[in-house]
Amino acid sequence: MTATPQIVLRPKKDESIKRFHPWVFSGAVAQKPANLREGDVVRVVAHEGGFLGVGHYQIGSIAVRILSFSDEGIDTDFFEKRLSAAYSLRLALGLVNPMNNTYRLVHGEGDGLPGLIIDMYGNTAVVQAHSVGMHEAKGQLLDALRKVMPGDMLQNVYYKSEGTLPFKADISPEDDYLLGGKNAEAIAVENGLKFRIDWRKGQKTGFFIDQRNNRRLLESLSPNRRVLNLFSYTGGFSVYALRGGAQSVHSVDSSAKAVMLAEENVRLNFGEEPRHAACADDAFRFLKQAQPGAYDLIVLDPPAFAKHREAINNALQGYKKLNLAALQKIAPGGLLFTFSCSQVISREQFRLAVFSAAAISGRNVRILHQLTQPDDHPINIFHPEGEYLKGLVLYVE
Ligand code: SAH
């Protein structure tokens, strides 16, 4: 313990940490040891000297990600405690069973582990480090994970952090698997539906688990509707719509590979399915040439239009334009599922963008549902930044 390096904050810069916000911004730091390395575990103390928290140090605007507000060591036992709490919560939520083996095990700050994401696909864990500290702790994390999860629940651990670390990490392809083999392949089961997951080449950890509940809602509203799923990726919403009894489902994604994935997932669940068609196209262009009234249910689930604060205004324009195009084409009595996963855009800002689109469209639009991220993406109440997924279900007359 005594060897843990220490960071001293500037006067009055301890307020947010005292309210358990897990980030210490670089501007709050008064003193740090000269030999401090990125990824080091540091103790953070107030200007007057009182202990505040212990966390991972990193160069950048967030200087420390607090792992614990108690003065404790950050070691395998610590990670075991946090992972065990995370796993117990998912078990208690009923997310771990033969009908559903796809869930987020660790959602960063929401599980008291800033900088770490772990998604489970059957007995494969995909681990993603977003901080240097978590990258360096990967051996401890693996040991802890193996202690927490029964052996048959954890056969493969794939480490996917090349794209999420602040530097080009030297992760050799041989090290991709912290545990398990190259030939591992997961068919994930979500609410009884099957999806092939390509965690190696797929976006994020291979699948968007955060739409599970919203897909289920869409399923219940699909009977006899003509569904258009824009930004379809693995075809999650399409597969649910088909099971729900949609009359037809069209999946559109600009990536030809994503289109193939959606087709494969439809086949995996329904065999040759004449109600489904998929095409590689730009969503804006597709909507432009679509016949007015051709669809009774449209899904808009685009990638984050804004990744940084500077991009907010353009992103809001993008959401407005996209929603307007869909509102102009949807059949009377249609349902629009519209989402934003941009963390820097607030629920109110998104709603205002959709509101503007509704006003311009001249259609009578009512909000039926306000959607968010599911229970395995919990939001630390002291860290509101953890809320990112926003959705509306609109009834369009
Ligand atoms: N709805 C999906 C997730 C969408 S991720 C799900 O439930 O899993 C966003 C997708 O949008 C990606 O697959 C990406 O290829 C696609 N995309 C990005 N820009 C696009 C555009 N202009 N037109 C159509 N698809 C686009």
Side-chain angles (χ1 to χ4, degrees), residues 297-330:
L297 195 164
I298 299 180
V299 183
L300 302 176
D301 183 24
F305 282 173
K307 296 216 166 95
H308 312 282
R309 302 218 149 263
E310 306 76 62
I312 288 179
N313 282 336
N314 280 343
L316 289 173
Q317 287 304 318
Y319 287 120
K320 183 168 136 189
K321 196 173 136 204
L322 180 64
N323 281 278
L324 175 59
L327 287 167
Q328 284 169 334
K329 291 296 165 76
I330 199 164

Side-chain angles (χ1 to χ4, degrees), residues 203 207-211 215 229-237 252-256 258 281-285 299-305 339 341:
Q203 301 179 46
F207 192 63
F208 287 84
I209 301 174
D210 55 3
Q211 291 286 20
R215 292 183 185 125
N229 181 12
L230 293 170
F231 309 92
S232 53
Y233 188 36
T234 53
F237 283 105
V252 177
D253 196 288
S254 56
S255 145
D281 203 347
D282 172 70
F284 289 91
R285 206 175 56 194
V299 183
L300 302 176
D301 183 24
F305 282 173
F339 296 96
C341 61

